[in-house]
Amino acid sequence: MHVCQRCVSLLLSRPLSAAGQQSTRALHQRSHLILLQHSTRQPPVHRLSQGHSRETWRHFTDHQAASPDVSNKTDLTQKEVVPLNSDVHQISSQVTLSDSQSIDLDVAVRASPLQEVSEEEAVQIQVPSALPPESSTLRPYVDKSETLSKLVQLGVNLWELEQRPNVGSMLVRLDFHADVAPRLLFLKDLGVEESKLGRLLTKNPFILTESLDNLEARVSYLKSKKFSKQSVAVMVTKAPYLLNFSVERLDNRLGFFQKQLGLSAEKTRDVVTRLPKLLCGSLEPIKENLKVCELEFGFRGNEMQHIVTTVPKVLIANKRKLTQIFDFIHNTMDVPHSLIAKFPQVLNAKFLRIRERHLFLEYLGRAQYQPSQPNYISLDRLVFLPDDVFCSEVALATLEDFERFQKTL
Amino acid sequence: MDGLFAVYKPQGVHWKHVRDSIESNLLKALNSCPPPAPQLAVQFQLLSSGENSSSSKDLALSPTMVPTLADHPLVTGPQFHKVHVGVGHRLDAFSSGVLVLGVGKGNGVVKVCYILYDYTLEGEFGKATDNFTDTGRVIEKTTYNHVTQDKLERVLAMIQGANQKALITYSQVDLRTQEAYELAVRGLLYPLGKSPPILMGLRCIHFNPPHFSLEVQCVNETQKYLRKLIHEVGLELRTCAVCSGVRRTRDGPFKVENALTRQYWTADSIIQAIAHFHKTTRRIRKSGMYRQTAGQMNSRAEVQEQIRSQTGQSEQINRDEFSSSASDTVVDRETPVTMSEGRTKPC
């Protein structure tokens, strides 16, 4: 079907109420207009903040499209139906022109829609996609938006991101070539693997809105503190929010760890590389944990250093659970501080596991945790072996016995 | 995957955490199934025929079916968000033991009334705390040297006597009739409607002071009541006692042997357990025992049938567990036959 560009513009200029009052003459003229979803080879940048007039026009033409006139397609060689559409920029200019003119309702349509348009022109006119202006999920926008489809191909979990408030609309408004691509290239230069990019962006989509200068400044700061390129990449992968923090904040935290723990620069770097979340979160819980270890548990300075360098997770562990585990190990299992400091991994384990296994060993009479005595069982073997290996090697009993014992606790 | 199964709840864990971890394990297994194939959308793609250089080019638009990204699992999210897992009779955080959970349609049957629970209570003489457990704040300390097993048995018998009287009252039978007497002889009396916690059976399993353990069969109880019971036993013996463990060994037809321990809280084991209990679940559903409103009372015959079936199952085990205390003297009863019957056949 042949469509007139000018009639399209005139349609746009009318508000819905006037369009509803269109005379039957106009309706008859447009009866053979057919709307079809046209694949957008050059997808328009999807912006949700379009004006109301476009929306009303779309509604109107949707209404028209509901009654297609199939018989008029016969003169086409291919099975193509020319869509009714408009180019964004063209329309905006035409709207302003027609707005400036006075619209005379009697002379509603100057040009007939039967005016022929060449096929190249017909193919080039694009359909603005009939997308809802608001939606609670990103599903309707994924196919149309280049940003979103590329993100899905990278492996970003859009469903998880759209649960967070405002993140979905932020992502839809991003432009792939201007915003997303430079930052992805930056991350790739940094050494982040491509397979990890999806997870990183799922955890921290705001890296796409951080300015590139800031990102580069922070990376150069880390490198100036003698973090190797590889360790910076590993840190960014493990803690996706790392590069969103300012240089002062990173500096503050690194200084705190070095001073408080009394570690050398090399060891601080090692600890931070293994657990970069330390640089992201607030310092108050870490200070509390350190106080708890020092005062409540009674660990000395050098024991503390050893524990933190072996198991940095102790610094951000839950205080109550840590206290519960330590209480059980020290008071019920009678393990001295020195032994716990030697095997700090027990502080990281699950309390129920330690409790069940210890009680089982006690029931069997094999609960020997002093290295000087025979049949000594080291704490890490107590905790880290899987159940069947534990039963066969440490407890010298069968798995069924262990289960039966568990049911008596 | 609908039905009931039993889980062994470890001590110190809130029952909600147990329910949540089982629900998340089931969801993980469900969501790991391959997602449905994505919908295909028609796209018209422009192919320009290269060799034509004439002004009127033939524009060929060929339709192709391309899968839409809108159905990609990263965009739609997981297929299953929720599995209905319900808890039958709750266990508080201090207790451990058999916890019956229902999945899907089993939730309708999970709150079965008119059944008995078996508990094993561990107690310790010499202390009294504010919350009746050994982890609470100690209020009082006493000596317990004067306590012997004989005295303990006597106190337990007295408590059981009081409970039997309560049972008769709440079962609303007139014990002067022949039928009621026969029911009582066979141990089929049961409280109908709302009643306070009633102990149907109570005996001492171990006694080495200061520790002792009791086995209890009860109805309509709470775990706090059982801890208070230990405290009262201590008071009766002119000393004080705290409870160091409450362990539910039976919840109706679900026993400790059938309960799943923590390493088996995976979807496969749960499905197996549900299949194992399929017949039991159907029997419960048919017998209509799961009506939650206490006002609706089923006929006595149904109740007795239920109890009889349970008694039949549990009798063998009880006979085995019955060691020395069965033959102990029964002191001062009005109807000695009833009382001893009541003790030998816990129902």
Side-chain angles (χ1 to χ4, degrees), chain A residues 39 78 120 139 142-143 149 152 155-159 352 355-356 403 406-409, chain B residues 8 11 44 55 59 68-71 74 76-78 81 96 247 256-257 259 262-264:
Chain A
S39 79
Q78 45 268 5
E120 292 94 344
R139 279 188 73 187
V142 164
D143 284 310
S149 26
V152 173
V156 177
N157 194 337
L158 287 184
W159 179 79
L352 275 175
R355 182 169 171 265
E356 283 174 359
E403 281 166 39
Q406 270 183 322
K407 290 188 191 177
T408 63
L409 285 180
Chain B
Y8 193 89
Q11 191 193 30
F44 284 85
S55 56
L59 292 168
T68 46
L69 277 177
D71 287 326
L74 285 179
T76 51
H81 288 265
S96 58
R247 207 161 60 88
V256 180
E257 299 86 50
R262 231 174 44 249
Q263 50 260 41
Y264 292 111

mmCIF file of all heavy atoms in Angstrom, chain A residues 39 78 120 139 142-143 149 152 155-159 352 355-356 403 406-409, chain B residues 8 11 44 55 59 68-71 74 76-78 81 96 247 256-257 259 262-264:
data_model
loop_
_atom_site.group_PDB
_atom_site.id
_atom_site.type_symbol
_atom_site.label_atom_id
_atom_site.label_comp_id
_atom_site.label_asym_id
_atom_site.label_seq_id
_atom_site.Cartn_x
_atom_site.Cartn_y
_atom_site.Cartn_z
ATOM 1 N N SER A 39 11.151 -4.775 11.043
ATOM 2 C CA SER A 39 12.410 -4.993 11.749
ATOM 3 C C SER A 39 13.295 -3.793 11.566
ATOM 4 O O SER A 39 13.431 -3.274 10.463
ATOM 5 C CB SER A 39 13.110 -6.232 11.201
ATOM 6 O OG SER A 39 13.741 -5.912 10.009
ATOM 7 N N GLN A 78 6.181 -8.856 -3.910
ATOM 8 C CA GLN A 78 6.544 -9.655 -2.748
ATOM 9 C C GLN A 78 5.497 -9.500 -1.648
ATOM 10 O O GLN A 78 4.671 -8.633 -1.690
ATOM 11 C CB GLN A 78 7.926 -9.260 -2.198
ATOM 12 C CG GLN A 78 8.175 -7.800 -2.083
ATOM 13 C CD GLN A 78 8.837 -7.253 -3.333
ATOM 14 O OE1 GLN A 78 9.013 -7.970 -4.310
ATOM 15 N NE2 GLN A 78 9.165 -5.977 -3.333
ATOM 16 N N GLU A 120 11.848 2.122 -2.525
ATOM 17 C CA GLU A 120 13.010 2.374 -1.664
ATOM 18 C C GLU A 120 12.626 3.251 -0.499
ATOM 19 O O GLU A 120 12.992 3.005 0.646
ATOM 20 C CB GLU A 120 14.145 3.057 -2.439
ATOM 21 C CG GLU A 120 14.794 2.204 -3.490
ATOM 22 C CD GLU A 120 14.165 2.425 -4.845
ATOM 23 O OE1 GLU A 120 13.035 3.001 -4.896
ATOM 24 O OE2 GLU A 120 14.762 2.033 -5.831
ATOM 25 N N ARG A 139 11.157 -7.151 29.764
ATOM 26 C CA ARG A 139 10.914 -8.069 28.645
ATOM 27 C C ARG A 139 10.470 -7.398 27.360
ATOM 28 O O ARG A 139 10.943 -7.753 26.297
ATOM 29 C CB ARG A 139 9.876 -9.104 29.053
ATOM 30 C CG ARG A 139 10.463 -10.230 29.872
ATOM 31 C CD ARG A 139 9.473 -11.315 30.082
ATOM 32 N NE ARG A 139 9.277 -12.068 28.853
ATOM 33 C CZ ARG A 139 8.353 -13.006 28.716
ATOM 34 N NH1 ARG A 139 7.549 -13.268 29.693
ATOM 35 N NH2 ARG A 139 8.233 -13.653 27.585
ATOM 36 N N VAL A 142 13.614 -5.731 25.525
ATOM 37 C CA VAL A 142 14.886 -6.415 25.267
ATOM 38 C C VAL A 142 15.153 -6.572 23.778
ATOM 39 O O VAL A 142 16.262 -6.328 23.297
ATOM 40 C CB VAL A 142 14.890 -7.797 25.952
ATOM 41 C CG1 VAL A 142 15.973 -8.662 25.399
ATOM 42 C CG2 VAL A 142 15.082 -7.636 27.426
ATOM 43 N N ASP A 143 14.153 -6.974 23.026
ATOM 44 C CA ASP A 143 14.407 -7.218 21.604
ATOM 45 C C ASP A 143 14.691 -5.934 20.857
ATOM 46 O O ASP A 143 15.384 -5.935 19.852
ATOM 47 C CB ASP A 143 13.191 -7.904 20.984
ATOM 48 C CG ASP A 143 13.145 -9.360 21.366
ATOM 49 O OD1 ASP A 143 14.178 -10.022 21.201
ATOM 50 O OD2 ASP A 143 12.099 -9.802 21.822
ATOM 51 N N SER A 149 19.921 -6.056 24.530
ATOM 52 C CA SER A 149 20.207 -7.357 23.913
ATOM 53 C C SER A 149 21.684 -7.692 24.003
ATOM 54 O O SER A 149 22.055 -8.839 24.257
ATOM 55 C CB SER A 149 19.719 -7.415 22.467
ATOM 56 O OG SER A 149 19.661 -6.156 21.900
ATOM 57 N N VAL A 152 22.323 -8.956 27.479
ATOM 58 C CA VAL A 152 21.880 -10.344 27.678
ATOM 59 C C VAL A 152 22.868 -11.300 27.044
ATOM 60 O O VAL A 152 23.213 -12.345 27.603
ATOM 61 C CB VAL A 152 20.469 -10.557 27.079
ATOM 62 C CG1 VAL A 152 20.094 -12.014 27.123
ATOM 63 C CG2 VAL A 152 19.460 -9.760 27.842
ATOM 64 N N GLY A 155 25.660 -11.957 29.223
ATOM 65 C CA GLY A 155 25.381 -12.797 30.371
ATOM 66 C C GLY A 155 24.915 -12.041 31.598
ATOM 67 O O GLY A 155 24.953 -12.572 32.705
ATOM 68 N N VAL A 156 24.473 -10.798 31.400
ATOM 69 C CA VAL A 156 23.987 -10.021 32.534
ATOM 70 C C VAL A 156 22.579 -10.506 32.884
ATOM 71 O O VAL A 156 21.754 -10.696 32.000
ATOM 72 C CB VAL A 156 23.952 -8.528 32.158
ATOM 73 C CG1 VAL A 156 23.386 -7.703 33.281
ATOM 74 C CG2 VAL A 156 25.327 -8.060 31.799
ATOM 75 N N ASN A 157 22.332 -10.699 34.154
ATOM 76 C CA ASN A 157 21.030 -11.211 34.585
ATOM 77 C C ASN A 157 20.074 -10.040 34.737
ATOM 78 O O ASN A 157 19.979 -9.411 35.783
ATOM 79 C CB ASN A 157 21.190 -11.952 35.911
ATOM 80 C CG ASN A 157 19.975 -12.784 36.229
ATOM 81 O OD1 ASN A 157 18.885 -12.516 35.736
ATOM 82 N ND2 ASN A 157 20.161 -13.801 37.049
ATOM 83 N N LEU A 158 19.320 -9.766 33.650
ATOM 84 C CA LEU A 158 18.450 -8.592 33.660
ATOM 85 C C LEU A 158 17.313 -8.740 34.658
ATOM 86 O O LEU A 158 16.842 -7.766 35.224
ATOM 87 C CB LEU A 158 17.861 -8.366 32.257
ATOM 88 C CG LEU A 158 18.824 -7.842 31.209
ATOM 89 C CD1 LEU A 158 18.083 -7.593 29.923
ATOM 90 C CD2 LEU A 158 19.479 -6.566 31.670
ATOM 91 N N TRP A 159 16.884 -9.990 34.858
ATOM 92 C CA TRP A 159 15.763 -10.185 35.785
ATOM 93 C C TRP A 159 16.145 -9.766 37.194
ATOM 94 O O TRP A 159 15.395 -9.114 37.896
ATOM 95 C CB TRP A 159 15.355 -11.655 35.760
ATOM 96 C CG TRP A 159 14.240 -11.958 36.673
ATOM 97 C CD1 TRP A 159 12.914 -11.726 36.452
ATOM 98 C CD2 TRP A 159 14.323 -12.543 37.960
ATOM 99 N NE1 TRP A 159 12.171 -12.124 37.517
ATOM 100 C CE2 TRP A 159 13.012 -12.633 38.459
ATOM 101 C CE3 TRP A 159 15.375 -13.006 38.753
ATOM 102 C CZ2 TRP A 159 12.732 -13.163 39.699
ATOM 103 C CZ3 TRP A 159 15.086 -13.539 39.990
ATOM 104 C CH2 TRP A 159 13.783 -13.611 40.445
ATOM 105 N N LEU A 352 27.149 -25.993 63.464
ATOM 106 C CA LEU A 352 26.470 -27.281 63.649
ATOM 107 C C LEU A 352 27.374 -28.429 63.269
ATOM 108 O O LEU A 352 27.367 -29.485 63.892
ATOM 109 C CB LEU A 352 25.197 -27.327 62.795
ATOM 110 C CG LEU A 352 23.970 -26.701 63.432
ATOM 111 C CD1 LEU A 352 22.828 -26.697 62.447
ATOM 112 C CD2 LEU A 352 23.574 -27.457 64.674
ATOM 113 N N ARG A 355 29.936 -28.963 65.977
ATOM 114 C CA ARG A 355 29.305 -29.525 67.170
ATOM 115 C C ARG A 355 29.014 -30.994 67.000
ATOM 116 O O ARG A 355 29.369 -31.822 67.855
ATOM 117 C CB ARG A 355 28.009 -28.761 67.443
ATOM 118 C CG ARG A 355 27.306 -29.216 68.675
ATOM 119 C CD ARG A 355 26.186 -28.277 69.056
ATOM 120 N NE ARG A 355 25.435 -28.897 70.127
ATOM 121 C CZ ARG A 355 24.351 -29.624 69.960
ATOM 122 N NH1 ARG A 355 23.858 -29.773 68.760
ATOM 123 N NH2 ARG A 355 23.757 -30.184 70.979
ATOM 124 N N GLU A 356 28.400 -31.376 65.840
ATOM 125 C CA GLU A 356 28.033 -32.778 65.646
ATOM 126 C C GLU A 356 29.261 -33.660 65.596
ATOM 127 O O GLU A 356 29.323 -34.731 66.213
ATOM 128 C CB GLU A 356 27.226 -32.928 64.362
ATOM 129 C CG GLU A 356 25.798 -32.477 64.522
ATOM 130 C CD GLU A 356 25.040 -32.488 63.222
ATOM 131 O OE1 GLU A 356 25.636 -32.836 62.186
ATOM 132 O OE2 GLU A 356 23.854 -32.150 63.248
ATOM 133 N N GLU A 403 25.072 -41.014 61.154
ATOM 134 C CA GLU A 403 23.703 -40.515 60.988
ATOM 135 C C GLU A 403 22.842 -40.884 62.178
ATOM 136 O O GLU A 403 22.053 -40.076 62.668
ATOM 137 C CB GLU A 403 23.076 -41.109 59.723
ATOM 138 C CG GLU A 403 23.524 -40.411 58.476
ATOM 139 C CD GLU A 403 23.178 -41.214 57.251
ATOM 140 O OE1 GLU A 403 22.074 -41.802 57.230
ATOM 141 O OE2 GLU A 403 24.011 -41.270 56.341
ATOM 142 N N GLN A 406 23.640 -38.634 64.888
ATOM 143 C CA GLN A 406 23.063 -37.303 64.670
ATOM 144 C C GLN A 406 21.624 -37.251 65.135
ATOM 145 O O GLN A 406 21.160 -36.233 65.640
ATOM 146 C CB GLN A 406 23.100 -36.960 63.174
ATOM 147 C CG GLN A 406 24.339 -36.264 62.737
ATOM 148 C CD GLN A 406 24.264 -35.911 61.268
ATOM 149 O OE1 GLN A 406 23.753 -36.680 60.465
ATOM 150 N NE2 GLN A 406 24.767 -34.765 60.917
ATOM 151 N N LYS A 407 20.909 -38.388 64.976
ATOM 152 C CA LYS A 407 19.500 -38.370 65.355
ATOM 153 C C LYS A 407 19.309 -38.495 66.856
ATOM 154 O O LYS A 407 18.190 -38.419 67.339
ATOM 155 C CB LYS A 407 18.766 -39.508 64.658
ATOM 156 C CG LYS A 407 18.654 -39.271 63.177
ATOM 157 C CD LYS A 407 17.771 -40.294 62.521
ATOM 158 C CE LYS A 407 17.916 -40.185 61.032
ATOM 159 N NZ LYS A 407 17.139 -41.187 60.314
ATOM 160 N N THR A 408 20.394 -38.708 67.574
ATOM 161 C CA THR A 408 20.237 -38.752 69.020
ATOM 162 C C THR A 408 20.626 -37.442 69.682
ATOM 163 O O THR A 408 20.565 -37.314 70.893
ATOM 164 C CB THR A 408 21.123 -39.844 69.646
ATOM 165 O OG1 THR A 408 22.481 -39.498 69.384
ATOM 166 C CG2 THR A 408 20.803 -41.198 69.088
ATOM 167 N N LEU A 409 21.041 -36.475 68.892
ATOM 168 C CA LEU A 409 21.504 -35.220 69.489
ATOM 169 C C LEU A 409 20.358 -34.299 69.857
ATOM 170 O O LEU A 409 19.421 -34.189 69.122
ATOM 171 C CB LEU A 409 22.419 -34.498 68.499
ATOM 172 C CG LEU A 409 23.797 -35.097 68.379
ATOM 173 C CD1 LEU A 409 24.602 -34.321 67.378
ATOM 174 C CD2 LEU A 409 24.494 -35.064 69.730
ATOM 175 N N TYR B 8 14.765 -34.381 60.476
ATOM 176 C CA TYR B 8 15.285 -34.306 61.844
ATOM 177 C C TYR B 8 15.823 -32.917 62.059
ATOM 178 O O TYR B 8 16.843 -32.533 61.471
ATOM 179 C CB TYR B 8 16.381 -35.350 62.057
ATOM 180 C CG TYR B 8 16.711 -35.523 63.512
ATOM 181 C CD1 TYR B 8 16.023 -36.446 64.279
ATOM 182 C CD2 TYR B 8 17.684 -34.749 64.128
ATOM 183 C CE1 TYR B 8 16.291 -36.603 65.619
ATOM 184 C CE2 TYR B 8 17.959 -34.897 65.468
ATOM 185 C CZ TYR B 8 17.262 -35.828 66.216
ATOM 186 O OH TYR B 8 17.529 -35.983 67.549
ATOM 187 N N GLN B 11 19.323 -29.237 66.995
ATOM 188 C CA GLN B 11 19.072 -28.331 68.110
ATOM 189 C C GLN B 11 19.684 -26.973 67.831
ATOM 190 O O GLN B 11 20.747 -26.868 67.220
ATOM 191 C CB GLN B 11 19.689 -28.911 69.371
ATOM 192 C CG GLN B 11 19.254 -28.170 70.604
ATOM 193 C CD GLN B 11 20.102 -28.549 71.786
ATOM 194 O OE1 GLN B 11 21.267 -28.883 71.643
ATOM 195 N NE2 GLN B 11 19.510 -28.501 72.952
ATOM 196 N N PHE B 44 11.837 -9.369 9.203
ATOM 197 C CA PHE B 44 12.069 -9.190 7.769
ATOM 198 C C PHE B 44 13.453 -8.640 7.578
ATOM 199 O O PHE B 44 13.785 -7.582 8.092
ATOM 200 C CB PHE B 44 11.044 -8.214 7.193
ATOM 201 C CG PHE B 44 9.707 -8.855 7.025
ATOM 202 C CD1 PHE B 44 8.822 -8.909 8.085
ATOM 203 C CD2 PHE B 44 9.346 -9.427 5.825
ATOM 204 C CE1 PHE B 44 7.600 -9.514 7.939
ATOM 205 C CE2 PHE B 44 8.120 -10.037 5.676
ATOM 206 C CZ PHE B 44 7.242 -10.075 6.733
ATOM 207 N N SER B 55 18.274 1.482 -11.783
ATOM 208 C CA SER B 55 17.695 2.445 -10.838
ATOM 209 C C SER B 55 16.607 1.807 -9.988
ATOM 210 O O SER B 55 16.497 2.061 -8.792
ATOM 211 C CB SER B 55 17.139 3.658 -11.592
ATOM 212 O OG SER B 55 16.198 3.192 -12.549
ATOM 213 N N LEU B 59 13.902 -4.923 -4.292
ATOM 214 C CA LEU B 59 14.197 -5.053 -2.860
ATOM 215 C C LEU B 59 13.567 -6.340 -2.369
ATOM 216 O O LEU B 59 12.349 -6.486 -2.381
ATOM 217 C CB LEU B 59 13.610 -3.867 -2.096
ATOM 218 C CG LEU B 59 14.289 -2.555 -2.419
ATOM 219 C CD1 LEU B 59 13.484 -1.414 -1.869
ATOM 220 C CD2 LEU B 59 15.690 -2.528 -1.855
ATOM 221 N N THR B 68 13.211 -14.794 20.076
ATOM 222 C CA THR B 68 13.195 -13.504 20.761
ATOM 223 C C THR B 68 14.019 -13.592 22.031
ATOM 224 O O THR B 68 14.028 -14.593 22.725
ATOM 225 C CB THR B 68 11.770 -13.121 21.174
ATOM 226 O OG1 THR B 68 11.178 -14.269 21.775
ATOM 227 C CG2 THR B 68 10.957 -12.671 20.022
ATOM 228 N N LEU B 69 14.664 -12.495 22.334
ATOM 229 C CA LEU B 69 15.436 -12.456 23.568
ATOM 230 C C LEU B 69 14.555 -12.300 24.793
ATOM 231 O O LEU B 69 15.002 -12.474 25.913
ATOM 232 C CB LEU B 69 16.424 -11.281 23.520
ATOM 233 C CG LEU B 69 17.730 -11.557 22.788
ATOM 234 C CD1 LEU B 69 18.567 -10.309 22.760
ATOM 235 C CD2 LEU B 69 18.491 -12.680 23.456
ATOM 236 N N ALA B 70 13.298 -11.937 24.546
ATOM 237 C CA ALA B 70 12.438 -11.699 25.708
ATOM 238 C C ALA B 70 12.169 -12.965 26.499
ATOM 239 O O ALA B 70 11.766 -12.903 27.648
ATOM 240 C CB ALA B 70 11.112 -11.087 25.247
ATOM 241 N N ASP B 71 12.384 -14.129 25.867
ATOM 242 C CA ASP B 71 12.167 -15.365 26.603
ATOM 243 C C ASP B 71 13.441 -15.956 27.146
ATOM 244 O O ASP B 71 13.443 -17.064 27.658
ATOM 245 C CB ASP B 71 11.497 -16.402 25.685
ATOM 246 C CG ASP B 71 10.058 -16.054 25.447
ATOM 247 O OD1 ASP B 71 9.430 -15.519 26.378
ATOM 248 O OD2 ASP B 71 9.566 -16.297 24.335
ATOM 249 N N LEU B 74 17.760 -15.269 31.309
ATOM 250 C CA LEU B 74 18.326 -14.146 32.064
ATOM 251 C C LEU B 74 17.375 -12.966 32.114
ATOM 252 O O LEU B 74 17.549 -12.058 32.912
ATOM 253 C CB LEU B 74 19.639 -13.692 31.418
ATOM 254 C CG LEU B 74 20.854 -14.588 31.651
ATOM 255 C CD1 LEU B 74 22.033 -14.006 30.921
ATOM 256 C CD2 LEU B 74 21.166 -14.702 33.116
ATOM 257 N N THR B 76 13.743 -13.447 31.824
ATOM 258 C CA THR B 76 12.494 -13.817 32.487
ATOM 259 C C THR B 76 12.704 -14.196 33.941
ATOM 260 O O THR B 76 11.782 -14.130 34.726
ATOM 261 C CB THR B 76 11.849 -15.029 31.800
ATOM 262 O OG1 THR B 76 12.838 -16.046 31.696
ATOM 263 C CG2 THR B 76 11.343 -14.681 30.429
ATOM 264 N N GLY B 77 13.924 -14.607 34.280
ATOM 265 C CA GLY B 77 14.144 -15.023 35.658
ATOM 266 C C GLY B 77 13.851 -16.510 35.816
ATOM 267 O O GLY B 77 13.541 -17.208 34.858
ATOM 268 N N PRO B 78 13.975 -17.017 37.026
ATOM 269 C CA PRO B 78 13.753 -18.446 37.231
ATOM 270 C C PRO B 78 12.285 -18.816 37.026
ATOM 271 O O PRO B 78 11.398 -18.013 37.254
ATOM 272 C CB PRO B 78 14.158 -18.670 38.689
ATOM 273 C CG PRO B 78 14.080 -17.352 39.319
ATOM 274 C CD PRO B 78 14.351 -16.348 38.255
ATOM 275 N N HIS B 81 9.234 -19.685 41.553
ATOM 276 C CA HIS B 81 9.618 -18.748 42.608
ATOM 277 C C HIS B 81 9.310 -19.282 43.991
ATOM 278 O O HIS B 81 9.865 -18.814 44.959
ATOM 279 C CB HIS B 81 8.843 -17.435 42.436
ATOM 280 C CG HIS B 81 9.301 -16.652 41.281
ATOM 281 N ND1 HIS B 81 10.231 -15.641 41.377
ATOM 282 C CD2 HIS B 81 9.003 -16.749 39.977
ATOM 283 C CE1 HIS B 81 10.444 -15.153 40.181
ATOM 284 N NE2 HIS B 81 9.722 -15.798 39.319
ATOM 285 N N SER B 96 15.007 -30.603 69.522
ATOM 286 C CA SER B 96 15.391 -31.237 68.269
ATOM 287 C C SER B 96 14.404 -32.358 68.028
ATOM 288 O O SER B 96 13.570 -32.658 68.874
ATOM 289 C CB SER B 96 16.806 -31.781 68.370
ATOM 290 O OG SER B 96 16.891 -32.692 69.434
ATOM 291 N N ARG B 247 13.710 -33.946 72.875
ATOM 292 C CA ARG B 247 13.899 -34.570 71.562
ATOM 293 C C ARG B 247 12.611 -35.287 71.203
ATOM 294 O O ARG B 247 12.164 -36.155 71.943
ATOM 295 C CB ARG B 247 15.039 -35.587 71.682
ATOM 296 C CG ARG B 247 15.787 -35.857 70.429
ATOM 297 C CD ARG B 247 17.115 -36.476 70.753
ATOM 298 N NE ARG B 247 16.937 -37.724 71.467
ATOM 299 C CZ ARG B 247 16.779 -38.905 70.879
ATOM 300 N NH1 ARG B 247 16.768 -38.990 69.582
ATOM 301 N NH2 ARG B 247 16.624 -39.978 71.609
ATOM 302 N N VAL B 256 11.754 -41.584 64.175
ATOM 303 C CA VAL B 256 13.118 -41.065 64.019
ATOM 304 C C VAL B 256 13.847 -41.760 62.880
ATOM 305 O O VAL B 256 14.640 -41.147 62.161
ATOM 306 C CB VAL B 256 13.907 -41.250 65.331
ATOM 307 C CG1 VAL B 256 15.306 -40.732 65.175
ATOM 308 C CG2 VAL B 256 13.220 -40.528 66.442
ATOM 309 N N GLU B 257 13.593 -43.040 62.679
ATOM 310 C CA GLU B 257 14.313 -43.758 61.619
ATOM 311 C C GLU B 257 13.971 -43.200 60.256
ATOM 312 O O GLU B 257 14.772 -43.281 59.328
ATOM 313 C CB GLU B 257 13.946 -45.253 61.615
ATOM 314 C CG GLU B 257 14.284 -46.006 62.869
ATOM 315 C CD GLU B 257 13.181 -45.883 63.886
ATOM 316 O OE1 GLU B 257 12.011 -46.126 63.531
ATOM 317 O OE2 GLU B 257 13.492 -45.535 65.026
ATOM 318 N N ALA B 259 13.239 -40.042 59.621
ATOM 319 C CA ALA B 259 13.519 -38.607 59.469
ATOM 320 C C ALA B 259 14.813 -38.418 58.694
ATOM 321 O O ALA B 259 15.761 -39.181 58.844
ATOM 322 C CB ALA B 259 13.626 -37.954 60.842
ATOM 323 N N ARG B 262 20.537 -33.705 58.036
ATOM 324 C CA ARG B 262 20.841 -32.507 57.262
ATOM 325 C C ARG B 262 21.470 -32.781 55.909
ATOM 326 O O ARG B 262 21.215 -32.066 54.943
ATOM 327 C CB ARG B 262 21.770 -31.610 58.090
ATOM 328 C CG ARG B 262 21.252 -30.200 58.153
ATOM 329 C CD ARG B 262 21.979 -29.262 59.039
ATOM 330 N NE ARG B 262 23.388 -29.303 58.969
ATOM 331 C CZ ARG B 262 24.152 -29.751 59.962
ATOM 332 N NH1 ARG B 262 23.603 -30.197 61.053
ATOM 333 N NH2 ARG B 262 25.452 -29.742 59.841
ATOM 334 N N GLN B 263 22.290 -33.825 55.812
ATOM 335 C CA GLN B 263 22.939 -34.026 54.509
ATOM 336 C C GLN B 263 21.955 -34.552 53.481
ATOM 337 O O GLN B 263 22.262 -34.573 52.303
ATOM 338 C CB GLN B 263 24.126 -34.988 54.626
ATOM 339 C CG GLN B 263 23.832 -36.272 55.345
ATOM 340 C CD GLN B 263 24.334 -36.199 56.775
ATOM 341 O OE1 GLN B 263 24.184 -35.179 57.435
ATOM 342 N NE2 GLN B 263 24.926 -37.254 57.260
ATOM 343 N N TYR B 264 20.761 -34.972 53.915
ATOM 344 C CA TYR B 264 19.792 -35.513 52.977
ATOM 345 C C TYR B 264 18.690 -34.536 52.646
ATOM 346 O O TYR B 264 17.632 -34.932 52.155
ATOM 347 C CB TYR B 264 19.174 -36.805 53.525
ATOM 348 C CG TYR B 264 20.158 -37.920 53.598
ATOM 349 C CD1 TYR B 264 20.605 -38.397 54.815
ATOM 350 C CD2 TYR B 264 20.685 -38.466 52.441
ATOM 351 C CE1 TYR B 264 21.534 -39.406 54.879
ATOM 352 C CE2 TYR B 264 21.610 -39.470 52.496
ATOM 353 C CZ TYR B 264 22.035 -39.935 53.719
ATOM 354 O OH TYR B 264 22.961 -40.930 53.777
#
